[in-house]
Amino acid sequence: MAIGPGARRRISILGSTGSIGVSTLDVVEQLGGREAFDLVAITGNSNVELLARQAKTFGARMAVTADDARYAELKEALAGTGIEAGAGREAIMEAAAAESEWMMAAIVGTAGLAPTLAAARRGADIALANKECLVSAGDLFVHAVREGGGRLIPVDSEHSAIFQSLEDDQHHAIERIVLTASGGPFRTWSREQMADVTVDVAKAHPNWSMGLKISIGSASMFNKALEMIEAKHLFDLRPEQIEVIVHPQSIIHSMVGYRDGSILAQLGVPDMRTAIGYALTYPDRPQLNVERLDFAKLARLDFEAPDEVRFPALRLARSALERGGVQGAVMNAAEEVAFDAFCAGQIGFLAMADIAEEVMEAMIGYPAAGSIDEVFAADAEARRIAAALISERTMAA
């Protein structure tokens, strides 16, 4: 990436202390650090020590923790640096509104929806690693990006692969896209084996090092389910154009099939920094210090059809795509509540999908959302129903 003296690119990172945020800062360092980038704002959750260290290392103007209770700790850690400290939701929104040209949206969950939407509306290029923006409010979010005039560049490895495999002016020729899935740690497990798994077992992904929420989402394939809904909005596709294939090696990150029978795929060693670097320098390709793919050592690539009986999240995503409306938001909200309950030991691993399906069925016919407030209303109602269902299960046990 060619950045001359005095032409530093203004960037912000929402979720800098998570795995995506840490990888983003690694890429920033590889591409010139402070000399190439003006870090306008970074935000994190409760890891204030790391947040402050990142802010000082990269010369951030503003650092914000989502945890109000950690404000004094962050302010003390940044004392004398000239870096503005903030805490809480309003400070997160302030960070999103700061005038960066490019923003990494990596806050996990619906907490990332409002700040990312705000950045899109002001015209920033959005590197999207937050699934909920499109899953819960896809139409609203895509409209905000178009109205703001910025670019939406996917960072999930699967969507980045699709993005990289799309030919200019050939959307009409797309027959299908194929999202690859590793299958997670339970790819060969039966439902009976999965019934009693612990959080520690579920979070052990075979190919990636990720946060708890993403790791368990991979194990349940809810992550892939959300990616199916994201793909619909990112690439303006019909539900029947979206396929999933299990590919344990995670070398082919996804594919685009065209009407002439051609398949274009993006391959690489599993490393999120490749997709992040592409999003940061698009349309250029940066020089990155990542492992190169050795085909001689690779030897084989395996594929298998996903089992929607063992992994019903994929079936639920298909239902959400076909039903439309707020079903994506409902599925996501219910799964988040169920995920918290699983981590707390209140329900089993398989019950997460059961809870999500029950909530989706209960909210069929819920009015479509025409605003962000209506999205949050549907989200809140789904969470209320999910919590009640979990409470009933807990009492019955």
Side-chain angles (χ1 to χ4, degrees):
M1 185 175 77
I3 297 180
R8 296 192 305 160
R9 192 177 192 195
R10 301 189 311 276
I11 67 171
S12 295
I13 303 172
L14 302 188
S16 69
T17 57
S19 60
I20 297 293
V22 169
S23 293
T24 301
L25 286 172
D26 181 86
V27 171
V28 167
E29 180 66 24
Q30 288 194 44
L31 299 183
R34 289 192 186 204
E35 293 185 6
F37 299 96
D38 177 2
L39 188 55
V40 176
I42 58 173
T43 77
N45 195 8
S46 297
N47 193 343
V48 168
E49 181 182 354
L50 176 58
L51 181 64
R53 187 165 64 248
Q54 290 174 335
K56 289 185 283 190
T57 299
F58 291 91
R61 301 188 205 173
M62 176 192 305
V64 177
T65 172
D67 189 345
D68 289 285
R70 311 297 291 274
Y71 173 68
E73 182 181 347
L74 177 61
K75 188 174 182 179
E76 182 180 355
L78 296 175
T81 64
I83 300 170
E84 180 183 352
R89 183 181 181 280
E90 289 188 8
I92 296 285
M93 292 299 292
E94 183 182 347
E99 289 299 317
S100 59
E101 306 163 52
W102 181 94
M103 192 187 79
M104 170 59 74
I107 296 177
V108 175
T110 52
L113 179 52
T116 307
L117 190 60
R121 284 173 172 158
R122 67 173 173 79
D125 286 347
I126 305 295
L128 189 65
N130 171 285
K131 298 180 184 301
E132 289 72 20
C133 287
L134 292 174
V135 171
S136 297
D139 292 335
L140 289 171
F141 188 74
V142 169
H143 179 73
V145 172
R146 288 173 180 163
E147 289 292 300
R151 297 178 296 188
L152 181 59
I153 308 171
V155 171
D156 273 345
S157 60
E158 295 83 1
H159 295 127
S160 177
I162 299 297
F163 188 75
Q164 294 180 57
S165 300
L166 291 174
E167 294 186 311
D168 291 342
D169 302 319
Q170 291 298 310
H171 184 276
H172 65 280
I174 297 173
E175 187 173 74
R176 57 178 173 150
I177 66 162
V178 183
L179 298 170
T180 57
S182 70
F186 306 140
R187 179 175 63 86
T188 62
W189 290 36
S190 67
R191 282 183 62 82
E192 291 72 23
Q193 289 175 303
M194 289 188 279
D196 298 318
V197 299
T198 64
V199 172
D200 284 341
V201 173
K203 72 180 184 182
H205 193 279
N207 299 337
W208 305 89
S209 176
M210 305 174 292
L212 181 63
K213 180 69 170 67
I214 299 174
S215 296
I216 291 180
S218 177
S220 65
M221 293 196 78
F222 260 104
N223 274 2
K224 200 58 51 182
L226 298 181
E227 287 171 14
M228 292 169 66
I229 300 174
E230 282 185 279
K232 185 264 184 191
H233 295 288
L234 274 170
F235 308 117
D236 189 23
L237 299 169
R238 300 185 306 275
E240 63 270 20
Q241 290 179 290
I242 303 168
E243 299 179 11
V244 173
I245 192 76
V246 175
H247 169 47
Q249 291 90 356
S250 297
I251 296 299
I252 295 179
H253 295 141
S254 280
M255 299 169 270
V256 179
Y258 291 94
R259 63 186 183 184
D260 63 355
S262 299
I263 300 284
L264 298 187
Q266 187 264 338
L267 290 72
V269 172
D271 191 326
M272 285 304 302
R273 292 175 299 177
T274 299
I276 291 167
Y278 188 70
L280 183 58
T281 63
Y282 176 79
D284 296 330
R285 289 187 179 273
Q287 177 70 40
L288 290 178
N289 181 26
V290 297
E291 183 182 351
R292 269 40 179 181
L293 192 60
D294 186 328
F295 284 95
K297 290 182 179 179
L298 181 62
R300 59 181 290 174
L301 298 173
D302 297 307
F303 303 93
E304 58 193 61
D307 186 341
E308 295 187 4
V309 174
R310 290 186 298 129
F311 299 101
L314 301 177
R315 174 175 53 81
L316 298 184
R318 190 73 61 190
S319 294
L321 285 168
E322 292 169 354
R323 292 170 179 170
V326 296
Q327 281 282 294
V330 169
M331 184 185 82
N332 175 71
E335 188 275 335
E336 284 191 2
V337 173
F339 162 79
D340 288 339
F342 169 62
C343 291
Q346 294 176 286
I347 60 173
F349 180 78
L350 297 177
M352 290 190 289
D354 295 339
I355 294 295
E357 183 166 18
E358 289 187 57
V359 177
M360 290 172 70
E361 292 294 327
M363 293 185 66
I364 290 177
Y366 196 91
S371 69
I372 189 66
D373 288 338
E374 291 175 356
V375 171
F376 285 137
D379 178 276
E381 177 64 6
R383 290 173 189 275
R384 184 193 67 78
I385 296 172
L389 291 171
I390 291 166
S391 179
E392 289 176 5
R393 286 174 177 245
T394 303
M395 292 177 64

